[in-house]
């Protein structure tokens, strides 16, 4: 009892010090752990600082370059694990080789879908704190507020050159664009693959979407021609040129097609390599985000040669992405910057199970997929290589969260001073895992939301699915031992576990919610879509007029 009281007092004292000293503010659970592990962490910090100091001495006093490759809708077991090829029907030899050269973060948690994961990585915060909790598919006039401080801004302010290429998906209002969120070079589609890979005649012919091709049914009683979105009317890919954003994929009157989508993906791959070449010539360190749109592709018609036992379009694209990722890695090596470049390759959330039969994806080891709080929705492979700094062929079972990349990148870059101290930052510095190895992590918990709803909590090897509101948690909450039941299909006996686990999880949630009252969630920014884009096409302007209620759309 004395020890418990001491921990609680230390927690309160540490929380006070954070505010008093204007340091990074973390969620309450962090301070519970820090109170018990602070002495070890202080010792570890000295070792980490010494390693980073020695690195900078060898690197001309420069911080490391960072290349971050985020692959879409790929859950745990879909890349970089050759033994699982027998279950998925394809191989990813380049990513597997990369994994052998670095570290596998085997308990990496993301968010359940695209936008929340990307927001969490970029801001270091749970997406519910910013209101960016769902993946919007069409024009909506919403986005990540400019008041959020992204990792690109943190690194830019520390002297990095910053570049983003590929999927962005954090809003269609000007404040939320990549070039307004810290990136000095930016190429990105303003929406996502619902528009780019699903809203097309080819996709409807493949039977994976319906009613988006208006010519396929009579429009006798249609009064609102904008209700069914036309992908060609929306803005597609943008590029920053001389400080201005231009649409680059469609000319006035052109229609969006699967071929346009393929060309967009190839362009991003080519330009990512070009950016590597350009950035490596500069004196400053660089941060390159490369977020491909592939492997999400749902049609077979544009695949000339099938190379997998699986045969699904996403499976075929995963093999292609493995080759493209291999090209990126080879270019880093060819440029001679492997020893001073940290590379992270990972998936953003679980597979798109709604298309499992036709796409070639499956939930594999963990149950669930995209959009779900189950392990299959939020567990992803993550591989990290930094030659000479991270032990090759290593792995870590320490729990990490996508938000931890924010604070970890900042620490490795010597940029922690640029992290905001007026809000909760959920990301925890996990430099110890990367540089000192397994068991040196600083997190043993995860709060998992589906949109604004807290659905489950992980603590060490235990997971609780929150009970329905108004019910007795001890009797109705579901408890899982994730090592004994990784598919969350056999809840533990609530009478045996509930009296202690239910209470402990409840206290965790109470602390979390108390902190949310002190630092309330904020909504996304709402504004006019597509502002700041040069020369919108006439059909796009008509779409905007209809969105504003200012005119008709023929």
């Amino acid at each position: 009892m004395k020890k418990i009281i001491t921990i609680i007092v230390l927690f309160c004292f540490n929380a006070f010090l954070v505010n008093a000293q204007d340091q990074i503010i973390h969620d309450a659970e962090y301070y519970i752990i820090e109170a018990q592990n602070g002495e070890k962490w202080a010792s570890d910090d000295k070792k980490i600082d010494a390693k980073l100091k020695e690195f900078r001495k060898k690197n001309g006093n420069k911080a490391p370059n960072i290349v971050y490759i985020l692959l879409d809708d790929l859950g745990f077991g879909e890349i970089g694990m050759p033994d699982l090829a027998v279950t998925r029907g394809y191989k990813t030899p380049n990513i597997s080789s990369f994994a052998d050269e670095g570290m596998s973060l085997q308990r990496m948690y993301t968010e359940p879908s695209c936008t929340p994961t990307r927001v969490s990585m970029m801001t270091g915060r749970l997406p519910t704190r910013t209101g960016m909790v769902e993946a919007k598919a069409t024009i909506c006039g919403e986005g990540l507020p400019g008041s959020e401080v992204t990792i690109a801004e943190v690194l830019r302010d520390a002297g990095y050159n910053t570049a983003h290429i590929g999927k962005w998906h954090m809003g269609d209002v000007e404040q939320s664009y990549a070039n307004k969120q810290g990136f000095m070079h930016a190429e990105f589609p303003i929406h996502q693959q619902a528009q780019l890979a699903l809203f097309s005649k080819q996709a409807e012919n493949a039977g994976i979407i319906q009613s988006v091709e208006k010519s396929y049914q009579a429009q006798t009683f249609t009064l609102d021609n904008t209700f069914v979105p036309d992908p060609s009317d929306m803005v597609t890919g943008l590029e920053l040129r001389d400080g201005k954003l231009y649409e680059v994929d469609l000319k006035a009157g052109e229609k969006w097609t699967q071929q346009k989508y393929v060309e967009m993906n190839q362009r991003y791959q080519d330009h990512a390599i070009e950016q590597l070449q350009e950035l490596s010539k500069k004196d400053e360190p660089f941060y390159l985000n490369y977020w491909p749109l592939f492997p999400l592709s749902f049609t077979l018609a544009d695949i000339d040669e099938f190379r997998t036992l699986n045969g699904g379009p996403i499976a075929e694209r995963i093999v292609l992405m493995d080759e493209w990722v291999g090209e990126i890695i080879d270019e880093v090596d060819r440029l001679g910057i492997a020893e001073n470049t940290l590379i992270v390759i990972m998936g953003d959330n679980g597979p798109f199970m709604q298309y499992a039969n036709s796409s070639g994806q499956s939930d594999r080891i963990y149950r669930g997929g995209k959009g779900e709080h189950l392990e299959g929705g939020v567990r992803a492979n993550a591989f990290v290589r930094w030659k000479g700094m991270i032990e090759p062929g290593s792995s870590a079972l320490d729990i990490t969260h996508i938000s931890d990349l924010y604070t970890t990148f900042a620490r490795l870059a010597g940029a922690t001073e640029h992290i905001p101290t007026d809000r909760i930052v959920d990301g925890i510095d996990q430099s110890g895992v990367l540089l000192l190895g397994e068991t040196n992590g600083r997190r043993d918990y995860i709060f998992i939301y589906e949109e604004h709803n807290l659905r489950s909590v992980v603590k060490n090897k235990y997971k609780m699915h929150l009970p329905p509101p108004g019910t007795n948690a001890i009797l109705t909450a579901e408890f899982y031992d994730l090592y004994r039941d990784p598919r969350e299909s056999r809840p533990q006996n609530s009478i045996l576990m509930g009296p202690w686990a239910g209470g402990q999880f409840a206290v965790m949630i109470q602390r979390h919610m108390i902190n949310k009252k002190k630092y309330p969630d904020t909504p996304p920014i709402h504004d006019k879509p597509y502002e700041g884009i040069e020369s919108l096409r006439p059909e796009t302007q008509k779409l905007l007029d209809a969105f504003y209620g200012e005119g008709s759309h023929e």
Side-chain angles (χ1 to χ4, degrees):
M1 178 62 73
K2 200 171 186 181
K3 185 176 181 181
I4 293 172
I5 292 172
T6 302
I7 288 171
I8 292 173
V9 169
L10 283 171
F11 158 64
C12 296
F13 182 64
N14 283 343
F16 168 76
L17 281 181
V18 166
N19 291 313
Q21 297 176 1
D22 199 31
Q23 295 176 351
I24 298 170
I25 303 169
H26 290 299
D27 204 355
E29 204 64 21
Y30 171 84
Y31 300 107
I32 296 292
I33 300 170
E34 183 188 51
Q36 301 170 72
N37 297 274
E39 289 185 11
K40 179 184 183 305
W41 292 358
S43 176
D44 288 348
D45 282 336
K46 291 179 181 178
K47 298 174 186 175
I48 294 166
D49 288 341
K51 283 179 174 284
L52 293 175
K53 183 178 179 181
E54 181 64 22
F55 166 79
R56 288 203 175 206
K57 184 178 178 181
K58 294 178 180 177
N59 195 43
N61 202 34
K62 290 198 305 184
N65 307 314
I66 299 172
V67 176
Y68 181 56
I69 301 175
L70 186 61
L71 302 173
D72 208 35
D73 287 1
L74 290 184
F76 188 86
E78 296 193 82
I79 55 173
M81 301 180 77
D83 286 349
L84 291 183
V86 67
T87 68
R88 63 194 183 204
Y90 62 85
K91 298 179 181 180
T92 55
N94 291 295
I95 298 175
S96 296
S97 176
F98 178 86
D100 290 340
E101 296 174 352
M103 173 179 281
S104 172
L105 299 175
Q106 296 191 335
R107 286 195 75 183
M108 168 61 81
Y109 281 85
T110 62
E111 294 295 312
S113 64
C114 310
T115 295
T117 286
R118 292 156 201 274
V119 165
S120 188
M121 183 271 159
M122 289 301 300
T123 66
R125 286 152 54 78
L126 291 175
T128 186
R129 300 196 193 280
T130 65
M132 297 293 291
V133 297
E134 59 180 321
K136 298 289 178 66
T138 59
I139 183 171
C140 63
E142 180 180 294
L144 183 69
S147 57
E148 290 296 322
V149 180
T150 68
I151 187 60
E153 293 172 299
V154 168
L155 296 177
R156 181 199 62 193
D157 292 348
Y160 272 68
N161 288 307
T162 58
H164 176 89
I165 295 176
K167 182 169 179 171
W168 180 246
H169 202 197
M170 281 183 255
D172 57 8
V173 298
E174 191 170 9
Q175 284 188 39
S176 68
Y177 300 162
N179 59 300
K180 297 293 184 179
Q181 293 285 353
F183 287 102
M184 300 151 71
H185 177 92
E187 303 177 38
F188 58 101
I190 202 161
H191 297 292
Q192 41 98 312
Q193 294 98 316
Q195 174 202 18
L196 303 169
L198 282 174
F199 294 175
S200 70
K201 179 182 289 189
Q202 292 84 359
E204 188 150 350
N205 288 341
I208 59 168
I209 199 167
Q210 65 182 43
S211 300
V212 297
E213 179 51 50
K214 296 176 186 177
S215 65
Y216 284 3
Q217 53 266 317
Q219 302 293 327
T220 308
F221 298 101
T222 298
L223 299 179
D224 180 1
N225 286 312
T226 67
F227 181 73
V228 176
D230 186 333
S232 304
D233 292 350
M234 295 186 284
V235 171
T236 53
L238 299 175
E239 287 188 13
L240 185 66
R241 298 173 179 172
D242 299 322
K244 295 182 179 181
L245 272 182
Y246 295 89
E247 185 178 23
V248 296
D249 289 287
L250 290 180
K251 298 176 182 178
E254 278 194 304
K255 288 296 181 182
W256 184 257
T257 64
Q258 175 70 11
Q259 185 56 38
K260 290 278 188 185
Y261 179 57
V262 171
E263 292 168 358
M264 174 185 274
N265 277 276
Q266 184 66 61
R267 183 177 76 247
Y268 289 148
Q269 170 69 9
D270 295 343
H271 288 191
I273 292 176
E274 289 176 11
Q275 272 299 300
L276 270 177
Q277 295 165 348
E278 291 300 314
L279 291 167
S280 66
K281 296 175 184 176
K282 299 182 179 181
D283 292 332
E284 303 84 6
F286 66 81
Y287 169 48
L288 172 62
N289 263 1
Y290 177 37
W291 295 358
L293 300 166
F294 282 163
L296 276 203
S297 187
F298 300 97
T299 69
L300 300 171
D302 58 315
I303 300 175
D304 295 326
E305 179 185 359
F306 288 81
R307 298 183 292 171
T308 73
L309 297 171
N310 183 303
I314 289 181
E316 293 288 331
R317 299 298 184 185
I318 290 173
V319 170
L320 177 62
M321 283 312 309
D322 179 70
E323 293 176 357
W324 285 5
V325 168
E327 290 176 5
I328 298 289
I329 298 165
D330 288 347
E331 189 63 20
V332 169
D333 294 345
R334 188 191 69 79
L335 291 167
I337 58 174
E339 283 72 26
N340 61 326
T341 302
L342 173 76
I343 306 176
V344 179
I345 302 170
M346 64 177 290
D348 71 345
N349 47 250
F352 218 146
M353 294 306 297
Q354 293 84 345
Y355 296 101
N357 288 334
S358 58
S359 70
Q361 287 187 298
S362 71
D363 57 0
R364 314 256 158 50
I365 297 170
Y366 298 112
R367 184 168 64 93
K370 183 181 178 76
E372 297 180 287
H373 68 106
L374 299 171
E375 297 289 285
V378 294
R379 291 283 292 274
N381 289 114
F383 307 108
V384 190
R385 192 191 82 172
W386 185 3
K387 287 194 171 182
M389 295 293 285
I390 293 176
E391 183 180 353
S394 59
S395 63
L397 279 173
D398 306 72
I399 292 178
T400 52
H401 184 257
I402 186 79
S403 64
D404 295 344
L405 296 178
Y406 180 91
T407 34
T408 304
F409 286 175
R411 171 76 181 278
L412 299 177
T416 303
E417 64 184 283
H418 300 292
I419 293 175
T421 56
D422 61 347
R423 65 200 71 181
I424 288 180
V425 174
D426 297 285
I428 295 168
D429 174 22
Q430 298 282 30
S431 303
V433 177
L434 301 184
L435 300 182
L436 304 180
E438 188 177 65
T439 75
N440 289 289
R442 301 186 180 184
R443 173 192 290 281
D444 71 351
Y445 65 93
I446 301 287
F447 294 99
I448 304 176
Y449 284 80
E450 288 179 3
E451 297 193 4
H452 285 297
N453 302 309
L454 182 61
R455 292 299 311 280
S456 59
V457 182
V458 174
K459 182 74 169 178
N460 195 359
K461 69 173 184 174
Y462 301 107
K463 184 172 184 177
M464 182 181 78
H465 293 185
L466 269 67
T471 60
N472 186 314
I474 293 177
L475 297 176
T476 60
E478 294 182 348
F479 302 98
Y480 298 92
D481 181 328
L482 292 174
Y483 287 117
R484 298 186 181 189
D485 181 18
R487 291 183 63 79
E488 299 164 89
S489 59
R490 302 185 308 276
Q492 300 290 305
N493 188 311
S494 62
I495 296 301
L496 296 180
M497 284 193 67
W500 73 265
Q504 294 297 93
F505 277 117
V507 171
M508 284 181 65
I509 294 168
Q510 287 171 6
R511 288 193 290 257
H512 177 68
M513 293 304 175
I514 288 170
N515 258 15
K516 289 187 76 169
K517 283 188 177 180
K518 186 175 182 181
Y519 298 96
D521 297 343
T522 57
I525 191 71
H526 292 93
D527 205 345
K528 291 183 176 181
Y530 298 164
E531 292 287 289
I533 300 172
E534 299 295 315
S535 304
L536 292 176
R537 290 172 288 122
E539 52 267 41
T540 305
Q541 189 57 58
K542 288 182 179 180
L543 177 64
L544 284 176
D545 291 343
F547 181 82
Y548 301 146
E550 295 175 352
S552 63
H553 179 67
E554 298 298 334

